[in-house]
PDB file of all heavy atoms in Angstrom:
ATOM      1  N   MET B  81     -10.502  -4.398   7.349  1.00 96.00           N
ATOM      2  CA  MET B  81      -9.979  -4.998   8.583  1.00 96.00           C
ATOM      3  C   MET B  81      -8.499  -4.626   8.760  1.00 96.00           C
ATOM      4  O   MET B  81      -8.033  -4.411   9.883  1.00 96.00           O
ATOM      5  CB  MET B  81     -10.177  -6.516   8.551  1.00 96.00           C
ATOM      6  CG  MET B  81     -11.662  -6.896   8.560  1.00 96.00           C
ATOM      7  SD  MET B  81     -11.964  -8.661   8.371  1.00 96.00           S
ATOM      8  CE  MET B  81     -12.195  -9.160  10.086  1.00 96.00           C
ATOM      9  N   ALA B  84      -8.377  -1.276  10.205  1.00 98.00           N
ATOM     10  CA  ALA B  84      -8.640  -1.344  11.650  1.00 98.00           C
ATOM     11  C   ALA B  84      -7.359  -1.745  12.390  1.00 98.00           C
ATOM     12  O   ALA B  84      -7.038  -1.182  13.445  1.00 98.00           O
ATOM     13  CB  ALA B  84      -9.759  -2.342  11.934  1.00 98.00           C
ATOM     14  N   CYS B  85      -6.613  -2.705  11.837  1.00 98.00           N
ATOM     15  CA  CYS B  85      -5.338  -3.109  12.471  1.00 98.00           C
ATOM     16  C   CYS B  85      -4.369  -1.930  12.516  1.00 98.00           C
ATOM     17  O   CYS B  85      -3.679  -1.726  13.523  1.00 98.00           O
ATOM     18  CB  CYS B  85      -4.683  -4.250  11.678  1.00 98.00           C
ATOM     19  SG  CYS B  85      -5.515  -5.829  11.845  1.00 98.00           S
ATOM     20  N   ALA B  88      -5.418   0.338  15.233  1.00 98.00           N
ATOM     21  CA  ALA B  88      -5.135  -0.235  16.559  1.00 98.00           C
ATOM     22  C   ALA B  88      -3.650  -0.086  16.900  1.00 98.00           C
ATOM     23  O   ALA B  88      -3.300   0.227  18.044  1.00 98.00           O
ATOM     24  CB  ALA B  88      -5.546  -1.704  16.590  1.00 98.00           C
ATOM     25  N   CYS B  93      -5.312   0.690  20.652  1.00 98.00           N
ATOM     26  CA  CYS B  93      -6.651   0.284  21.075  1.00 98.00           C
ATOM     27  C   CYS B  93      -6.879  -1.171  20.680  1.00 98.00           C
ATOM     28  O   CYS B  93      -5.998  -1.810  20.119  1.00 98.00           O
ATOM     29  CB  CYS B  93      -7.712   1.208  20.468  1.00 98.00           C
ATOM     30  SG  CYS B  93      -7.787   1.138  18.682  1.00 98.00           S
ATOM     31  N   ARG B  94      -8.054  -1.695  21.006  1.00 98.00           N
ATOM     32  CA  ARG B  94      -8.380  -3.092  20.701  1.00 98.00           C
ATOM     33  C   ARG B  94      -9.330  -3.149  19.515  1.00 98.00           C
ATOM     34  O   ARG B  94      -9.898  -2.130  19.123  1.00 98.00           O
ATOM     35  CB  ARG B  94      -9.060  -3.752  21.925  1.00 98.00           C
ATOM     36  CG  ARG B  94      -8.345  -3.556  23.252  1.00 98.00           C
ATOM     37  CD  ARG B  94      -7.082  -4.385  23.406  1.00 98.00           C
ATOM     38  NE  ARG B  94      -7.254  -5.808  23.183  1.00 98.00           N
ATOM     39  CZ  ARG B  94      -7.730  -6.689  24.059  1.00 98.00           C
ATOM     40  NH1 ARG B  94      -8.128  -6.275  25.250  1.00 98.00           N
ATOM     41  NH2 ARG B  94      -7.806  -7.969  23.767  1.00 98.00           N
ATOM     42  N   LEU B  95      -9.521  -4.368  18.990  1.00 97.00           N
ATOM     43  CA  LEU B  95     -10.364  -4.561  17.805  1.00 97.00           C
ATOM     44  C   LEU B  95     -11.482  -5.533  18.088  1.00 97.00           C
ATOM     45  O   LEU B  95     -11.260  -6.587  18.701  1.00 97.00           O
ATOM     46  CB  LEU B  95      -9.527  -5.143  16.658  1.00 97.00           C
ATOM     47  CG  LEU B  95      -8.430  -4.239  16.113  1.00 97.00           C
ATOM     48  CD1 LEU B  95      -7.617  -4.998  15.070  1.00 97.00           C
ATOM     49  CD2 LEU B  95      -9.042  -2.990  15.512  1.00 97.00           C
ATOM     50  N   ARG B  96     -12.675  -5.182  17.613  1.00 96.00           N
ATOM     51  CA  ARG B  96     -13.770  -6.149  17.632  1.00 96.00           C
ATOM     52  C   ARG B  96     -14.272  -6.337  16.204  1.00 96.00           C
ATOM     53  O   ARG B  96     -14.454  -5.344  15.475  1.00 96.00           O
ATOM     54  CB  ARG B  96     -14.927  -5.663  18.515  1.00 96.00           C
ATOM     55  CG  ARG B  96     -14.580  -5.763  19.978  1.00 96.00           C
ATOM     56  CD  ARG B  96     -15.802  -5.573  20.840  1.00 96.00           C
ATOM     57  NE  ARG B  96     -15.376  -5.322  22.209  1.00 96.00           N
ATOM     58  CZ  ARG B  96     -16.191  -4.988  23.186  1.00 96.00           C
ATOM     59  NH1 ARG B  96     -17.480  -4.870  22.950  1.00 96.00           N
ATOM     60  NH2 ARG B  96     -15.732  -4.783  24.398  1.00 96.00           N
ATOM     61  N   TRP B  97     -14.468  -7.609  15.848  1.00 95.00           N
ATOM     62  CA  TRP B  97     -14.952  -7.930  14.509  1.00 95.00           C
ATOM     63  C   TRP B  97     -16.210  -7.147  14.188  1.00 95.00           C
ATOM     64  O   TRP B  97     -17.054  -7.002  15.093  1.00 95.00           O
ATOM     65  CB  TRP B  97     -15.248  -9.444  14.463  1.00 95.00           C
ATOM     66  CG  TRP B  97     -15.659  -9.935  13.129  1.00 95.00           C
ATOM     67  CD1 TRP B  97     -14.860 -10.454  12.160  1.00 95.00           C
ATOM     68  CD2 TRP B  97     -16.992  -9.947  12.597  1.00 95.00           C
ATOM     69  NE1 TRP B  97     -15.607 -10.794  11.065  1.00 95.00           N
ATOM     70  CE2 TRP B  97     -16.921 -10.490  11.310  1.00 95.00           C
ATOM     71  CE3 TRP B  97     -18.247  -9.550  13.071  1.00 95.00           C
ATOM     72  CZ2 TRP B  97     -18.036 -10.653  10.492  1.00 95.00           C
ATOM     73  CZ3 TRP B  97     -19.368  -9.697  12.266  1.00 95.00           C
ATOM     74  CH2 TRP B  97     -19.245 -10.246  11.005  1.00 95.00           C
ATOM     75  N   TRP B 174      -7.524 -14.102   4.970  1.00 94.00           N
ATOM     76  CA  TRP B 174      -7.456 -13.749   6.387  1.00 94.00           C
ATOM     77  C   TRP B 174      -6.120 -14.131   7.008  1.00 94.00           C
ATOM     78  O   TRP B 174      -5.588 -13.430   7.880  1.00 94.00           O
ATOM     79  CB  TRP B 174      -8.620 -14.427   7.109  1.00 94.00           C
ATOM     80  CG  TRP B 174      -8.611 -14.219   8.587  1.00 94.00           C
ATOM     81  CD1 TRP B 174      -8.510 -15.181   9.537  1.00 94.00           C
ATOM     82  CD2 TRP B 174      -8.691 -12.970   9.285  1.00 94.00           C
ATOM     83  NE1 TRP B 174      -8.519 -14.615  10.785  1.00 94.00           N
ATOM     84  CE2 TRP B 174      -8.636 -13.255  10.655  1.00 94.00           C
ATOM     85  CE3 TRP B 174      -8.805 -11.641   8.870  1.00 94.00           C
ATOM     86  CZ2 TRP B 174      -8.693 -12.270  11.621  1.00 94.00           C
ATOM     87  CZ3 TRP B 174      -8.850 -10.651   9.834  1.00 94.00           C
ATOM     88  CH2 TRP B 174      -8.796 -10.961  11.186  1.00 94.00           C
ATOM     89  N   ALA B 175      -5.543 -15.248   6.520  1.00 95.00           N
ATOM     90  CA  ALA B 175      -4.280 -15.722   7.098  1.00 95.00           C
ATOM     91  C   ALA B 175      -3.180 -14.660   6.988  1.00 95.00           C
ATOM     92  O   ALA B 175      -2.258 -14.621   7.806  1.00 95.00           O
ATOM     93  CB  ALA B 175      -3.842 -17.006   6.400  1.00 95.00           C
ATOM     94  N   ASP B 176      -3.283 -13.781   5.978  1.00 95.00           N
ATOM     95  CA  ASP B 176      -2.260 -12.736   5.810  1.00 95.00           C
ATOM     96  C   ASP B 176      -2.379 -11.661   6.889  1.00 95.00           C
ATOM     97  O   ASP B 176      -1.416 -10.963   7.188  1.00 95.00           O
ATOM     98  CB  ASP B 176      -2.410 -12.070   4.432  1.00 95.00           C
ATOM     99  CG  ASP B 176      -2.263 -13.082   3.300  1.00 95.00           C
ATOM    100  OD1 ASP B 176      -1.366 -13.926   3.393  1.00 95.00           O
ATOM    101  OD2 ASP B 176      -3.074 -13.027   2.356  1.00 95.00           O
ATOM    102  N   LEU B 177      -3.583 -11.519   7.444  1.00 96.00           N
ATOM    103  CA  LEU B 177      -3.823 -10.447   8.409  1.00 96.00           C
ATOM    104  C   LEU B 177      -3.928 -10.958   9.844  1.00 96.00           C
ATOM    105  O   LEU B 177      -3.662 -10.219  10.794  1.00 96.00           O
ATOM    106  CB  LEU B 177      -5.143  -9.751   8.022  1.00 96.00           C
ATOM    107  CG  LEU B 177      -5.430  -8.389   8.610  1.00 96.00           C
ATOM    108  CD1 LEU B 177      -4.327  -7.403   8.228  1.00 96.00           C
ATOM    109  CD2 LEU B 177      -6.790  -7.881   8.134  1.00 96.00           C
ATOM    110  N   ALA B 178      -4.304 -12.225   9.991  1.00 96.00           N
ATOM    111  CA  ALA B 178      -4.620 -12.778  11.314  1.00 96.00           C
ATOM    112  C   ALA B 178      -3.532 -12.524  12.368  1.00 96.00           C
ATOM    113  O   ALA B 178      -3.869 -12.152  13.510  1.00 96.00           O
ATOM    114  CB  ALA B 178      -4.930 -14.267  11.195  1.00 96.00           C
ATOM    115  N   PRO B 179      -2.235 -12.702  12.030  1.00 96.00           N
ATOM    116  CA  PRO B 179      -1.225 -12.503  13.087  1.00 96.00           C
ATOM    117  C   PRO B 179      -1.244 -11.087  13.656  1.00 96.00           C
ATOM    118  O   PRO B 179      -0.999 -10.887  14.847  1.00 96.00           O
ATOM    119  CB  PRO B 179       0.112 -12.783  12.377  1.00 96.00           C
ATOM    120  CG  PRO B 179      -0.252 -13.569  11.155  1.00 96.00           C
ATOM    121  CD  PRO B 179      -1.638 -13.139  10.758  1.00 96.00           C
ATOM    122  N   VAL B 180      -1.530 -10.101  12.814  1.00 96.00           N
ATOM    123  CA  VAL B 180      -1.575  -8.720  13.297  1.00 96.00           C
ATOM    124  C   VAL B 180      -2.872  -8.499  14.077  1.00 96.00           C
ATOM    125  O   VAL B 180      -2.877  -7.969  15.196  1.00 96.00           O
ATOM    126  CB  VAL B 180      -1.509  -7.711  12.118  1.00 96.00           C
ATOM    127  CG1 VAL B 180      -1.397  -6.291  12.644  1.00 96.00           C
ATOM    128  CG2 VAL B 180      -0.362  -8.042  11.194  1.00 96.00           C
ATOM    129  N   TRP B 181      -3.986  -8.926  13.473  1.00 97.00           N
ATOM    130  CA  TRP B 181      -5.288  -8.747  14.141  1.00 97.00           C
ATOM    131  C   TRP B 181      -5.267  -9.351  15.544  1.00 97.00           C
ATOM    132  O   TRP B 181      -5.744  -8.757  16.507  1.00 97.00           O
ATOM    133  CB  TRP B 181      -6.398  -9.387  13.291  1.00 97.00           C
ATOM    134  CG  TRP B 181      -7.748  -9.270  13.911  1.00 97.00           C
ATOM    135  CD1 TRP B 181      -8.227 -10.022  14.952  1.00 97.00           C
ATOM    136  CD2 TRP B 181      -8.784  -8.337  13.586  1.00 97.00           C
ATOM    137  NE1 TRP B 181      -9.491  -9.619  15.293  1.00 97.00           N
ATOM    138  CE2 TRP B 181      -9.858  -8.590  14.474  1.00 97.00           C
ATOM    139  CE3 TRP B 181      -8.913  -7.319  12.635  1.00 97.00           C
ATOM    140  CZ2 TRP B 181     -11.043  -7.866  14.434  1.00 97.00           C
ATOM    141  CZ3 TRP B 181     -10.101  -6.593  12.599  1.00 97.00           C
ATOM    142  CH2 TRP B 181     -11.137  -6.862  13.484  1.00 97.00           C
ATOM    143  N   ASP B 182      -4.691 -10.558  15.638  1.00 96.00           N
ATOM    144  CA  ASP B 182      -4.726 -11.287  16.915  1.00 96.00           C
ATOM    145  C   ASP B 182      -4.052 -10.513  18.048  1.00 96.00           C
ATOM    146  O   ASP B 182      -4.406 -10.672  19.214  1.00 96.00           O
ATOM    147  CB  ASP B 182      -4.068 -12.667  16.755  1.00 96.00           C
ATOM    148  CG  ASP B 182      -4.963 -13.621  15.975  1.00 96.00           C
ATOM    149  OD1 ASP B 182      -6.152 -13.292  15.781  1.00 96.00           O
ATOM    150  OD2 ASP B 182      -4.471 -14.674  15.538  1.00 96.00           O
ATOM    151  N   MET B 183      -3.085  -9.661  17.705  1.00 97.00           N
ATOM    152  CA  MET B 183      -2.406  -8.879  18.750  1.00 97.00           C
ATOM    153  C   MET B 183      -3.370  -7.903  19.428  1.00 97.00           C
ATOM    154  O   MET B 183      -3.155  -7.482  20.552  1.00 97.00           O
ATOM    155  CB  MET B 183      -1.258  -8.068  18.146  1.00 97.00           C
ATOM    156  CG  MET B 183      -0.096  -8.913  17.700  1.00 97.00           C
ATOM    157  SD  MET B 183       1.375  -7.918  17.449  1.00 97.00           S
ATOM    158  CE  MET B 183       0.873  -6.844  16.125  1.00 97.00           C
ATOM    159  N   PHE B 184      -4.423  -7.505  18.685  1.00 98.00           N
ATOM    160  CA  PHE B 184      -5.323  -6.458  19.188  1.00 98.00           C
ATOM    161  C   PHE B 184      -6.737  -6.970  19.445  1.00 98.00           C
ATOM    162  O   PHE B 184      -7.612  -6.208  19.829  1.00 98.00           O
ATOM    163  CB  PHE B 184      -5.396  -5.306  18.166  1.00 98.00           C
ATOM    164  CG  PHE B 184      -4.056  -4.730  17.806  1.00 98.00           C
ATOM    165  CD1 PHE B 184      -3.468  -4.981  16.580  1.00 98.00           C
ATOM    166  CD2 PHE B 184      -3.365  -3.940  18.712  1.00 98.00           C
ATOM    167  CE1 PHE B 184      -2.228  -4.450  16.249  1.00 98.00           C
ATOM    168  CE2 PHE B 184      -2.130  -3.406  18.395  1.00 98.00           C
ATOM    169  CZ  PHE B 184      -1.554  -3.672  17.161  1.00 98.00           C
ATOM    170  N   ASP B 185      -6.958  -8.274  19.226  1.00 97.00           N
ATOM    171  CA  ASP B 185      -8.333  -8.790  19.198  1.00 97.00           C
ATOM    172  C   ASP B 185      -9.038  -8.730  20.555  1.00 97.00           C
ATOM    173  O   ASP B 185      -8.464  -9.086  21.588  1.00 97.00           O
ATOM    174  CB  ASP B 185      -8.353 -10.230  18.695  1.00 97.00           C
ATOM    175  CG  ASP B 185      -9.786 -10.709  18.507  1.00 97.00           C
ATOM    176  OD1 ASP B 185     -10.526 -10.020  17.790  1.00 97.00           O
ATOM    177  OD2 ASP B 185     -10.157 -11.737  19.091  1.00 97.00           O
ATOM    178  N   ASP B 186     -10.294  -8.285  20.515  1.00 96.00           N
ATOM    179  CA  ASP B 186     -11.143  -8.256  21.706  1.00 96.00           C
ATOM    180  C   ASP B 186     -12.541  -8.774  21.311  1.00 96.00           C
ATOM    181  O   ASP B 186     -13.551  -8.280  21.796  1.00 96.00           O
ATOM    182  CB  ASP B 186     -11.219  -6.803  22.212  1.00 96.00           C
ATOM    183  CG  ASP B 186     -11.944  -6.688  23.541  1.00 96.00           C
ATOM    184  OD1 ASP B 186     -11.879  -7.635  24.347  1.00 96.00           O
ATOM    185  OD2 ASP B 186     -12.609  -5.653  23.762  1.00 96.00           O
ATOM    186  N   THR B 187     -12.554  -9.755  20.401  1.00 96.00           N
ATOM    187  CA  THR B 187     -13.828 -10.231  19.827  1.00 96.00           C
ATOM    188  C   THR B 187     -14.392 -11.426  20.585  1.00 96.00           C
ATOM    189  O   THR B 187     -15.615 -11.524  20.770  1.00 96.00           O
ATOM    190  CB  THR B 187     -13.607 -10.655  18.349  1.00 96.00           C
ATOM    191  OG1 THR B 187     -13.088  -9.539  17.629  1.00 96.00           O
ATOM    192  CG2 THR B 187     -14.891 -11.150  17.707  1.00 96.00           C
ATOM    193  N   LEU B 188     -13.494 -12.319  21.025  1.00 95.00           N
ATOM    194  CA  LEU B 188     -13.961 -13.600  21.566  1.00 95.00           C
ATOM    195  C   LEU B 188     -14.882 -13.407  22.763  1.00 95.00           C
ATOM    196  O   LEU B 188     -14.596 -12.614  23.654  1.00 95.00           O
ATOM    197  CB  LEU B 188     -12.776 -14.483  21.966  1.00 95.00           C
ATOM    198  CG  LEU B 188     -11.834 -14.867  20.829  1.00 95.00           C
ATOM    199  CD1 LEU B 188     -10.857 -15.941  21.274  1.00 95.00           C
ATOM    200  CD2 LEU B 188     -12.615 -15.318  19.601  1.00 95.00           C
ATOM    201  N   ILE B 203     -16.930 -16.890  18.713  1.00 95.00           N
ATOM    202  CA  ILE B 203     -15.941 -17.893  19.132  1.00 95.00           C
ATOM    203  C   ILE B 203     -14.662 -17.812  18.297  1.00 95.00           C
ATOM    204  O   ILE B 203     -13.701 -18.517  18.562  1.00 95.00           O
ATOM    205  CB  ILE B 203     -16.516 -19.338  19.107  1.00 95.00           C
ATOM    206  CG1 ILE B 203     -17.094 -19.668  17.732  1.00 95.00           C
ATOM    207  CG2 ILE B 203     -17.559 -19.524  20.201  1.00 95.00           C
ATOM    208  CD1 ILE B 203     -17.520 -21.135  17.600  1.00 95.00           C
ATOM    209  N   GLY B 204     -14.648 -16.975  17.275  1.00 94.00           N
ATOM    210  CA  GLY B 204     -13.417 -16.838  16.502  1.00 94.00           C
ATOM    211  C   GLY B 204     -13.667 -16.142  15.174  1.00 94.00           C
ATOM    212  O   GLY B 204     -14.775 -15.686  14.886  1.00 94.00           O
ATOM    213  N   ILE B 205     -12.609 -16.070  14.376  1.00 94.00           N
ATOM    214  CA  ILE B 205     -12.699 -15.471  13.043  1.00 94.00           C
ATOM    215  C   ILE B 205     -12.243 -16.540  12.044  1.00 94.00           C
ATOM    216  O   ILE B 205     -11.206 -17.193  12.247  1.00 94.00           O
ATOM    217  CB  ILE B 205     -11.857 -14.189  12.946  1.00 94.00           C
ATOM    218  CG1 ILE B 205     -12.428 -13.146  13.933  1.00 94.00           C
ATOM    219  CG2 ILE B 205     -11.878 -13.634  11.522  1.00 94.00           C
ATOM    220  CD1 ILE B 205     -11.684 -11.845  13.995  1.00 94.00           C
ATOM    221  N   GLY B 206     -13.033 -16.745  10.993  1.00 92.00           N
ATOM    222  CA  GLY B 206     -12.815 -17.855  10.065  1.00 92.00           C
ATOM    223  C   GLY B 206     -11.809 -17.553   8.968  1.00 92.00           C
ATOM    224  O   GLY B 206     -11.239 -16.456   8.925  1.00 92.00           O
TER     225      GLY B 206
END
Side-chain angles (χ1 to χ4, degrees):
M81 295 175 98
C85 288
C93 64
R94 311 286 306 279
L95 294 175
R96 287 192 195 173
W97 184 93
W174 176 242
D176 301 318
L177 197 59
V180 186
W181 179 283
D182 286 347
M183 290 196 297
F184 305 106
D185 187 54
D186 187 31
T187 302
L188 298 191
I203 55 173
I205 297 178

